[in-house]
Amino acid sequence: MPQMIINGRKTDAISGQMLDVISPVDGAVFTQIPRGGEADVDLAVKAARIAAEGPWKEFTALERGRILVKLSNLILENAEELSQLEARDTGKAISSARNDIQVMARYFEFYGTAADKVHGEVVPFLNGYGVQVIREPLGVTAHIIPWNYPAQMVGRSVAPALAMGNACVVKPAEDACLSVIRVAELGLEAGLPSGVFNVVTGLGEEAGAALSAHEDINFVTFTGSNEVGVLVQKAAAEHAVKCVLELGGKSAHVVFNDVNTKLAVPAIVKGILANAGQTCTAGSRLLIQRDIFNEFIDLVVDEFSKTRVGTPEMDLHCGPLINKSQFDRVNRYLEKGKKDGLKILAQGQIDPGVPETGYYVTPTLFVADNHDSDLLMQEIFGPVLVALAFDTEEQAVQLANITDYGLMAAVWSENGGIQQRVAKEMKCGQVYINGFGAGGGVELPFGGVKRSGHGREKGLVALEEMSTTKTIIHYHG
Ligand code: NAP
Ligand code: MG
């Protein structure tokens, strides 16, 4: 049975209570996890504090980095076990889970090798002064991560925090936390001192709320829904704790008349179907210039209709959705789309061999004649793509920026002027030109604007987010 990792030890909840973990593949209970609560969070934060200010502080940047690289190698050595765990827990296709584990390993490698490359500054100041700006860890960092990419998210969030010398307390989602527990175990094997990498499992409203409200954390990073993100930020604000929020999106593809269709069509279809649409950056809106609308959408329809949905072992384009509540939610959107008068242009197919009790939904491509529908304005978090025509570049920019979200966008055109102008006008954290999503994007600064959140992860910028500066002003005469 999976256990939490607190202060270097595998442990159950103090209350002794457990939670059932349900498989999205067939809706059946397949294991149990400890129902950690406030007291468990408190133990983990205390352990992290002691580690951050004790043994972990003695490690040089090089030594911290080497442990992270060792952890990366251990992840690769155990990649198949971790992939099977991730696929069973999330329901995603086994090849996607394998890719996620490679990306997780890459995070620990990237930040491990960067740990000793973070240098300070010397600032010219008044005569007789020497000024140094040095980087220091924040202390105890809290990481609340979602169920859609648990392995990638734990790598993305914990690796830079550890590289900078923080000690972490992670609260994974109750729906999918097995790979997170396993990587914390591997962290101990790699040589992380006790208390540096803690994992408390449990319910969001119990363990998650207790962690974000804990008075002795110094930073919290959260990825998930807007509603909970706001709660986390409010809880952190009570103790003036810095917060990074990544709250999802409603990313648009903007397709111009001169699009390279060979490049665009498969990338657009993959961009919504990856992880069954349960991706914050999912390209869920397809804006196409009117002159080519019919011919381009025909190509998308052909590609989209090939979509097959199945179990992780079937290894098809989409797996099931994570749980009953997401399944119901996405089905409600499908009904809403029909009620709003959107036309279904194409659908994928659920493999007849999947268990009837699993959470499989039919991937659906709609076309709309205006941008008013909820299906174009709200994050669905499922395999649902909506297409809409636009006339001018100006209108395309206005529509792409019309939602409350601002995470990612893509421009599809062969014209350098259009590429640059539109990319610069997009209100979001990342813009692809003639592409969409690539290789996990470990090296690429990432995050949102507007309701998609604030703060940045990935890339070297995460090392700044997860540390602070100290300015030492020395008068030497
Ligand atoms: P969620 O409730 O926001 O969950 C995200 C994380 O926050 C999980 O670890 C969750 O734990 C935890 N949490 C829940 N309530 C909390 C609280 N009061 N205080 C602190 N932490 C708390 O997301 P969800 O309900 O699973 O999914 C709903 C919607 O969120 C999706 O449809 C999607 O739109 C969005 N979402 C976005 C992303 C993304 O990548 N941006 C990822 C997931 C979901 P438990 O899961 O254990 O409750
Ligand atoms: Mg929940």
Side-chain angles (χ1 to χ4, degrees), residues 147 174-175 203-205 323:
W147 40 257
E174 84 228 30
D175 285 314
L203 299 173
E205 53 275 31
N323 58 30

Side-chain angles (χ1 to χ4, degrees), residues 52-63:
E53 292 183 1
W56 192 223
K57 205 174 163 183
E58 303 306 319
F59 282 64
T60 63
L62 172 64
E63 288 165 343

Side-chain angles (χ1 to χ4, degrees), residues 145 147-148 171 174 202 204 208 222 225 228 248 280 326 329 379:
I145 62 173
W147 40 257
N148 52 350
K171 175 13 213 140
E174 84 228 30
F222 169 87
S225 63
V228 178
C280 49
Q326 290 299 112
R329 190 184 127 109
E379 184 176 49

Side-chain angles (χ1 to χ4, degrees), residues 19 33 143-149 153 156 171-176 201-213 220 222-229 231-232 235 246-249 277-281 322-323 325-326 329-330 333 378-382 405 407 446 452:
L19 293 169
I33 52 166
H143 307 252
I144 301 176
I145 62 173
W147 40 257
N148 52 350
Y149 291 92
M153 295 285 177
R156 163 175 129 186
K171 175 13 213 140
E174 84 228 30
D175 285 314
T201 57
L203 299 173
E205 53 275 31
E206 295 177 0
L211 180 57
S212 53
V220 56
F222 169 87
T223 302
S225 63
N226 270 77
E227 300 72 33
V228 178
L231 290 178
V232 165
E246 203 266 88
L247 308 178
Q278 304 169 113
T279 307
C280 49
T281 51
I322 189 74
N323 58 30
S325 127
Q326 290 299 112
R329 190 184 127 109
V330 173
Y333 274 110
Q378 294 173 8
E379 184 176 49
I380 299 174
F381 235 56
Y405 291 104
L407 197 57
F446 174 77
S452 288

